[in-house]
């Protein structure tokens, strides 16, 4: 494996997407991926040290702007974000994204990190740090566009 991909792409895989029907994924794997553009409201994801441009999915029909690619996985990070209460609703805190490098995604095993308690010392009031990752960020090398344009 080369040190860096020739056609690099950063992809966010939401935890629920992969835990629903994903298989273990390792650095070095080659696989097809369906991608949606990263929604602009995912502020916390855009503030990660390596902000992804795409969201990997395998639920629902393809939509305009989606890409289907064949990719080689170069790096995997678990993505974490604090949760906060705003207007009585829980949301991901926009300024809290962090990454931790891993070698394998096992969708049937949670990765426990931090403490689930609210109002913990060191965190702003009304905020908590969930123990499980919100998803994963992949650095891939795009080997082929399987559908260059879904219109």
């Amino acid at each position: 494996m080369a040190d860096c991909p020739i056609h690099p792409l950063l992809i966010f895989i939401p935890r629920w997407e992969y835990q629903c029907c994903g298989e273990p994924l390792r650095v070095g794997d080659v696989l097809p991926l369906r991608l949606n553009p990263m929604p602009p409201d995912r502020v916390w994801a855009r503030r990660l040290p390596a902000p992804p441009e795409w969201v990997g999915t395998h639920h629902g029909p393809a939509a305009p702007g989606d890409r289907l690619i064949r990719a080689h996985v170069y790096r995997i990070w678990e993505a974490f974000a604090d949760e906060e209460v705003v207007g009585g609703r829980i949301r991901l805190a926009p300024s809290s994204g962090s990454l931790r490098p891993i070698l394998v995604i096992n969708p049937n095993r949670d990765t426990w990190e931090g403490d689930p308690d609210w109002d913990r010392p060191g965190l702003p009031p009304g905020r908590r740090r969930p123990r499980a990752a919100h998803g994963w960020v992949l650095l891939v090398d795009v080997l082929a566009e399987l559908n260059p344009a879904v219109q």
Side-chain angles (χ1 to χ4, degrees), residues 2 6 8 10 13 15 17 27 32-33 37-38 42 56-57 68 75 93-94 101 115 117 120 131 148:
I6 296 168
L10 286 168
I13 307 287
R15 180 174 156 223
E17 264 295 335
V27 169
L33 290 166
M38 176 63 80
R42 300 269 174 98
T57 184
L68 181 60
R75 302 279 184 272
D115 192 304
D117 297 332
R120 184 111 206 267
R131 295 178 290 174

Side-chain angles (χ1 to χ4, degrees), residues 54-103:
W54 297 90
V55 177
T57 184
H58 49 255
H59 290 95
D66 284 3
R67 292 173 71 183
L68 181 60
I69 62 171
R70 183 167 172 77
H72 182 208
V73 179
Y74 269 77
R75 302 279 184 272
I76 304 171
W77 296 271
E78 290 179 305
F80 294 90
D82 292 349
E83 294 176 344
E84 62 186 2
V85 177
V86 176
R89 298 179 59 106
I90 297 173
R91 72 170 192 182
L92 298 180
S95 61
S96 67
S98 65
L99 297 174
R100 182 171 68 188
I102 61 172
L103 297 174

